[in-house]
Every structure is written in structure tokens, then in C-alpha cells.
Amino acid sequence: MRRPIDIDALQHVLCAALGTATPVSTPAQLGLGIGPFIAKDSAVADRPTLVGGAAPYAPTTPAPTPQALDALVEHARSLGVAQLLVPRVRRTDDPGALRAAGFVPVAADSECVVRLTEDVDDLLRGRVGADRLRELRAHHAAVSQDLTWERIRLSELNAQGWAREAFVALHRRVAERGEHPTPCNADALDTLAHGAAADRTELLVRRRKEVADAEDAVVLVALLVESHTGRGTYHLAGAVGHDDPVARETLEDASLYRLCLDARSSGLEWVHLGSGDSERKRGVGADLFIPLDHWLRAPDLPSAVEEAEAVEEGDGSALSRFATGPVAAVPVPGPARFRRQPRFDTIDLSSNTNPFLGPDALYPHLDTTELARTYLTTIAELPGHRGVDALSPEHVLFSSGSVDGAMLLLAALASPGETVCVTSPTFPLYAHFARVLRLPVVDVPLRGDALGELDVEAILAADPRVTFLCDPNNPVGTRLDRAQVLDLVRRTRGIVVIDEAYAEFSDTPSYAGLVAAHDNLIVLRTLSKAWGLAGARCGIALARPGLVDALRRVQVPFGFTDASQRAARHRLTNSHEALDSVRRIRAERDRMAAALAQHPSVERVFPSETNFLLVRLHEHEQVMALFAAAGIVVADTGFVIPATCRISIGDRRANDTLLAALSAAV
Ligand code: PMP
């Protein structure tokens, strides 16, 4: 599959289905998600079109070479066909030849792949959560009671005429229901059965066990093709007989789940679930989504160059104006082939790794698009996260903890001599990294009783290249004044970085949803605090794509390991666990704040929107010594805020031990 030779063979299948000698059809007839075509020009969908691919019988078409395109254009001219279509080309392929020949990309859907890196149930638990896994297993069990599971090699189809008839009948039903009609008929199936891929292709059939007439009993048919590498399965055209959409979905989901189980037990590495309906396919475990384009050459369409300009305009994808000169001059490091190639249906003989020692011998996946989407959809549901749903994976950079993000952004965006501003008391690593990078640091201390006010005028007067704000602030625990923060973002000539390491413990709004609107705003987040993954080292920088691009150019490749990606995916897709624990921590925090405030050794407990409490003590030295003697470690913040310590909220027993130790002092 996906070799040009396979695509040629499948074009014969398309011709057989159309009943023509040449692959001339209309986009509407091919059922290729025709919405985008109509949006361009309503005539496009119904105009006779020479098809330079094999959709709907191939999941994708390799990007054609210039020679292949010349031949296609010449063929169209000889046929007198004005419109050409190369359907379903991966956006990761090089479309240079298509552009040069005057084709325009029309966004299609994405192909959806499940990479079988571990036992299917373990993998699904991590990707879709335990509840959804339970649901899929229940559907599968229920469906398996009533229905068969048969996989018939196409080369053996002759002996199973009923299956061919059922395939055709079910596709007709789909067309009658008005769902994307595809030209799947008996001629197509017979041509496929005698073509180059026949011994790699199977008809999957599910039929009711108790119904005697074989053809009548069939409720689902699908075409499965083994990849030419022998390492995975493509799920091509399928059709379901149910008219009830819920029953149809249940059956499809249960069948895809079973397909993954089968593939895994046969030692396959991936299952291609077809293209389109990504959300549903994510729900059955798809973790790789490769965007596809239909490339169209039609009379009266704008040129590809104009299209590209329209896409780039205003979406912030051009490299940020804040990138330093050296950063602007270098590409993203590391093997570009890892980013461009979808790593599932290729054979990787390029990385000098050991093929005999399992998945840990491979370099980590560089394509973290799906995980970025999972992160965004998860936090978009949290209180105070308005606007996050408008962000896309291009706004996201994963780093080795958020501290790595802080270092990267300084390296990418600040040049020698440019000032970095911090607002003490704050997280000390911002100034530390600036000094290590030989950038001058200016400190504009926070003001106000709860240390929540910025001196905006003093910051602006220092004209910093980068200003770090920590909100909620460590070590104080309070939020900064929102109006002042926004005023600073609007008025500074430099970049404002807001470290939201503790945002999940706070009720007041995050700044994450604002990054798309400001080209000088970076929000740092982490999975180390509320999400309980400090050991997995997962930080997230949210910013305009042009800023993300600049950071990526500085980042050491492969720092975000597969083990960390798995841990992050699992935690985010089972977010209720983390969110429940956040509720418990907040309740404990409030209990501890009240108990400490009553204590004679305590002068003040600062209000906290984090998972720690800053406490000012009457007898600071003695209390610190007492904690140490009791084997209790708290952060002594006396050197930044006199007579204080910062107490993390632990479990109830640890918290009670601290209270007891404090009482012993009285
Ligand atoms: N930022 C702040 C404000 C923090 O308090 C901490 C942890 N102490 C970090 C960042 C570090 O986060 P990570 O583990 O993601 O590097």
C-alpha cells in the first residue's frame, strides 16, 4: 500500500467501479468529503475530473514526481478534461511538484492511525481513559455475542459469493442513507481480487449468527489491506447496515477495537483506521493524525502561491520578530526526516539504532501534535481557561519541565546586553538562567500587602527584553493584579512570560487563552505540580506559532522521551484523578491555613491559590530548627521574605505531623 505501484493497481479498481477506461469522475461521485470543493467553487464538485490517485480505494496518494505530473497533465489535455485532482496527499509529503504544476491544496481530513506500542488495553487506558476502555470492551463483548468475525482473503472470494453480494448491498444502503456515497461495487471488488494487492487484502465481514441466509445476515463489511512492509494494516472502505446511528457507531467502534486486538496479537505495529472523523477515531485509540490535502487544478481557482499567502497571513506562523539573529538563521535541529515522515508505514533504516531490543531502542516520537491537542482539550475544560479551545498544537511546545522552557526562551529571544526583568520575591531560576546566559537582570520588586502588585512603570522604564512573572506566585502563593499584568503585556516593547506552574490550584483566570492574541506573551505550564508528574519532566510553553518555532530551534532534540509522553498522555486522559486530588489538596490547604493562623508561633498566613502556604513566624530561627529536628523539611524563605517559610501541602498525616511539631514548641 501507498507505493506508486499499489496506487496504479488501485486506479484500475477505481476505473472498474466507474465503468470507464480512464479515471475520470467528479469529486462528488468519489465521495471525497466534497464540502471543501464546494466552498471553493460550486462548479468544482460536479465537473469531470481526471483523478491522479486511487481514492477512495487508497488511504493516501504519494506526492507525485514532476514526471508523473507532466504525464497526468498531458493525459488530461488529450482527454479534453479541464479539471485534475490528486486526492489525499499527506501534508508531510513534499508538494513542490504539485505547486509548480498549478495545483491548489484543498484541505481534506486526516488519516487516523493507532500505533500498537503496547498491549491494546494498556494503550487504550493511557490514550482514552479507563472509563472509555470499559465502554469499548463492553460494546465488543455485547457485539461478539450476536455477530461473527470473519476475514476472507480476496484471493479466496470466489468461493464466498454471498460476501461479495453483501459488500455491494451494504454500500448501496450507505448511499441510500445519503452518507458519502463511494463507488464500491462488484466490478471494483473483482478487479481488486485479481490485482497486485489481492493476497494482502481481506474482506472483513460481521453477520448475525442466528440468521440463516448468509447475505441477509451481514451487518458490516470492510476492506483491510496489509501494508507492503508487512508491519501494519490499512482499513479501507467500510459500510454498516444499521440505520440507527447509535447502533452503527457501537458496531464500528467494537469492530475497530477487535481489529486492534487482532493486529497486536499478529505482531503488527499499527492499524490505519482510515481518514476523517478524527474525534471518534481518537476515541478508539488513534494517536497519530496526518493531515491530508486534495490537490486540485481547476479553471478559475487562485494559484497555490496566493493560497499559501492567504494561509500565512495573520496566523502568526512566520518566525517571531523576537527571535535573535542567530536563531533566525538556523533551522530546527535534529533529523528533519523524523518530523516530516509519519513514522508508521515506513521502514526506518536511517537512525543507526538496534532493531533487536524493542521500542526503547527507537528515538522518541518528535510528532507530539496529538499530545498537544490532548493537553489543550484537557485544560480548556478547567475553570478560568476561556479561549484555550481556540489554540492549536502549533501554539504548544513541550519541554523538559517548565524550567527548561524558561531557559529555551531566554536563549532564543534575548541577545547579549538585553535585560531580563524579574519581580521578587519570585521563583529564583529565572534570574539564575539569565545570569548563566550573561544577560543583565533587573529586579522590580512586587508591592502591596499580599505582594500581588507590579510596579508597571518601573518595569517599562527598564525596557526589558523579557519580563518573567510568576502567577500564582512562588513563594508567596498569591495572584498578581490582572489589570496590571495585561497593561504590561500591552505596553512593553519586550516579551512577557507568565509562569503558571500552579494555575490549576487557582480559581482566577489563566492567561493561556490570550497567547493567540499577543505576539509577545508566553505562558509556561507544567505537569509537575497539579498533574503529579514532576518525575516525567513535562513543561508546556504556550505561545504564538512563530514564538514556538523560535524556541524549537534552540531545543535539544529528543528531550521529551516516549516514556514521558506516555505518562503525560495517561495522566491527561484520566484527568479526573488529578483534578480530584487538586480538590483534596485545596481542602487540606484551607484546613492548614486555618490551623496555622490560630497558632501562637505564626504571625501571618499569606492567602494562597497554590498547593503551598507562605507563613510568617514569630520565632523564625527556632521554628526552623524545630522542624529540622522533627525531620520535617520546609522551604526556608527567610532570606527573601523576612521570617517566613513555605510549607507544601502534603497528605493529611504529613500535615498533622507538622502541626503537632509546631505545637510541641509552645
Ligand atoms: N515554576 C515555578 C514557579 C515553580 O515553582 C516550579 C517548581 N518549583 C517550576 C517552575 C518547575 O517546574 P518544572 O518541574 O516543570 O520544571
Side-chain angles (χ1 to χ4, degrees):
M1 253 321 108
R2 211 172 182 272
R3 294 179 301 177
I5 183 175
D6 282 331
I7 301 301
D8 286 349
L10 290 168
Q11 259 213 350
H12 291 307
V13 178
L14 176 61
C15 291
L18 297 169
T20 57
T22 51
V24 175
S25 180
T26 68
Q29 201 182 357
L30 293 173
L32 287 176
I34 54 174
F37 292 104
I38 293 170
K40 291 263 152 196
D41 172 357
S42 58
V44 163
D46 297 315
R47 195 178 280 142
T49 305
L50 180 63
V51 182
Y57 292 96
T60 56
T61 302
T65 60
Q67 294 78 3
L69 267 183
D70 285 349
L72 187 69
V73 169
E74 185 47 43
H75 192 189
R77 192 173 299 131
S78 71
L79 293 169
V81 173
Q83 186 162 288
L84 287 98
L85 173 70
V86 180
R88 289 191 187 157
V89 178
R90 286 180 183 158
R91 205 165 290 162
T92 45
D93 281 4
D94 179 2
L98 284 158
R99 268 185 206 287
F103 282 76
V104 175
V106 184
D109 28 39
S110 297
E111 48 180 342
C112 310
V113 184
V114 183
R115 288 175 296 192
L116 298 167
T117 48
E118 58 192 310
D119 172 75
V120 173
D121 281 1
D122 291 343
L123 170 153
L124 281 166
R125 201 173 296 111
R127 288 190 196 153
V128 302
D131 292 347
R132 172 69 178 147
L133 170 62
R134 220 169 290 121
E135 184 178 86
L136 279 174
R137 287 174 57 93
H139 286 338
H140 174 239
V143 163
S144 304
Q145 292 238 314
D146 302 331
L147 302 178
T148 61
W149 175 263
E150 294 159 88
R151 296 176 59 164
I152 305 165
R153 285 219 166 265
L154 276 208
S155 47
E156 289 151 22
L157 195 62
N158 268 348
Q160 316 269 358
W162 61 269
R164 180 198 291 114
E165 298 312 316
F167 178 87
V168 174
L170 249 50
H171 276 92
R172 201 179 309 123
R173 285 272 288 282
V174 169
E176 282 161 12
R177 282 203 302 262
E179 297 166 14
H180 288 320
T182 46
C184 287
N185 53 27
D187 292 337
L189 206 54
D190 289 341
T191 307
L192 196 53
H194 294 104
D199 56 352
R200 285 188 273 131
T201 309
E202 290 172 312
L203 199 61
L204 164 63
V205 179
R206 310 209 72 174
R207 53 178 163 153
R208 292 202 181 86
K209 288 175 184 166
E210 77 279 11
V211 176
D213 182 85
E215 194 186 320
D216 282 351
V218 175
V219 291
L220 177 142
V221 289
L223 279 175
L224 307 176
V225 185
E226 190 183 298
S227 72
H228 77 278
T229 64
R231 293 178 165 223
T233 294
Y234 292 95
H235 179 271
L236 298 184
V240 182
H242 287 301
D243 288 328
D244 169 8
V246 175
R248 201 155 64 227
E249 269 193 19
T250 304
L251 175 55
E252 278 171 347
D253 286 356
S255 301
L256 293 176
Y257 172 68
R258 170 74 189 264
L259 189 60
C260 291
L261 292 178
D262 269 18
R264 174 73 181 170
S265 64
S266 322
L268 296 185
E269 293 165 13
W270 50 267
V271 178
H272 188 288
L273 301 182
S275 58
D277 216 350
S278 306
E279 272 324 298
R280 263 199 60 220
K281 285 166 182 166
R282 186 188 302 282
V284 284
D287 68 325
L288 181 65
F289 300 88
I290 302 158
L292 302 174
D293 293 309
H294 301 310
W295 285 82
L296 190 64
R297 200 173 97 159
D300 312 326
L301 278 187
S303 78
V305 176
E306 284 165 334
E307 285 285 300
E309 280 168 3
V311 168
E312 266 157 35
E313 212 171 86
D315 75 346
S317 62
L319 183 66
S320 165
R321 65 189 167 99
F322 291 105
T324 65
V327 168
V330 296
V332 177
R337 63 182 185 278
F338 272 38
R339 277 187 301 279
R340 276 206 305 273
Q341 278 179 13
R343 294 177 67 203
F344 74 99
D345 61 354
T346 50
I347 296 175
D348 180 10
L349 297 178
S350 72
S351 305
N352 306 342
T353 50
N354 185 334
F356 298 111
L357 296 177
D360 284 343
L362 298 175
Y363 280 99
H365 290 291
L366 283 184
D367 181 357
T368 50
T369 314
E370 175 265 340
L371 191 54
R373 202 171 283 121
T374 302
Y375 179 71
L376 292 174
T377 48
T378 306
I379 68 163
E381 308 222 319
L382 302 180
H385 283 68
R386 268 234 321 262
V388 170
D389 52 358
L391 302 183
S392 69
E394 286 77 49
H395 293 94
V396 177
L397 180 83
F398 290 108
S399 57
S400 179
S402 55
V403 288
D404 179 41
M407 180 77 159
L408 286 180
L409 71 92
L410 286 177
L413 308 173
S415 299
E418 289 180 328
T419 304
V420 175
C421 177
V422 297
T423 59
S424 67
T426 191
F427 188 53
L429 279 190
Y430 316 138
H432 173 91
F433 286 144
R435 290 194 183 101
V436 168
L437 293 170
R438 300 193 199 124
L439 298 165
V441 177
V442 50
D443 183 5
V444 179
L446 295 170
R447 307 198 291 196
D449 176 56
L451 296 170
E453 289 166 33
L454 298 173
D455 186 344
V456 175
E457 300 309 324
I459 297 174
L460 292 174
D463 194 20
R465 176 69 165 184
V466 179
T467 302
F468 278 101
L469 304 178
C470 186
D471 188 28
N473 190 16
N474 177 12
V476 189
T478 47
R479 295 295 306 250
L480 301 178
D481 182 304
R482 188 174 176 84
Q484 288 183 325
V485 171
L486 294 174
D487 188 35
L488 177 66
V489 172
R490 273 187 225 110
R491 291 169 64 203
T492 180
R493 293 202 309 152
I495 294 149
V496 176
V497 180
I498 306 179
D499 182 348
E500 293 193 342
Y502 301 95
E504 293 85 351
F505 299 104
S506 170
D507 278 335
T508 35
S510 154
Y511 294 91
L514 296 183
V515 296
H518 298 277
D519 75 346
N520 67 335
L521 176 62
I522 301 176
V523 170
L524 296 179
R525 307 276 296 220
T526 180
L527 299 191
S528 295
K529 307 298 179 184
W531 300 96
L533 285 183
R537 307 309 300 134
C538 181
I540 300 104
L542 300 174
R544 286 262 194 108
L547 276 168
V548 168
D549 183 6
L551 269 52
R552 226 185 268 289
R553 293 176 194 218
V554 173
Q555 190 168 39
V556 176
F558 300 123
F560 190 24
T561 67
D562 277 351
S564 293
Q565 293 181 34
R566 266 198 300 280
R569 187 178 291 112
H570 177 78
R571 192 49 53 84
L572 293 168
T573 46
N574 292 279
S575 60
H576 61 94
E577 279 172 15
L579 298 177
D580 284 350
S581 68
V582 166
R583 273 187 284 278
R584 287 170 61 191
I585 290 167
R586 288 173 55 145
E588 269 301 281
R589 174 188 76 196
D590 296 344
R591 181 182 79 91
M592 285 295 284
L596 288 165
Q598 297 294 319
H599 205 279
S601 311
V602 172
E603 186 196 319
R604 178 178 184 196
V605 180
F606 283 73
S608 171
E609 299 206 32
T610 61
N611 64 341
F612 57 79
L613 292 167
L614 184 74
V615 178
R616 179 173 283 133
L617 301 160
H618 289 301
E619 309 281 347
H620 176 248
E621 299 281 310
Q622 287 90 322
V623 174
M624 294 313 292
L626 183 103
F627 283 155
I632 296 168
V633 184
V634 299
D636 184 349
T637 43
F639 65 103
V640 275
I641 311 168
T644 58
C645 69
R646 193 195 65 198
I647 303 170
S648 304
I649 303 303
D651 60 22
R652 188 154 198 137
R653 198 157 156 188
N655 299 336
D656 284 344
T657 306
L658 179 134
L659 290 176
L662 201 56
S663 296
V666 182

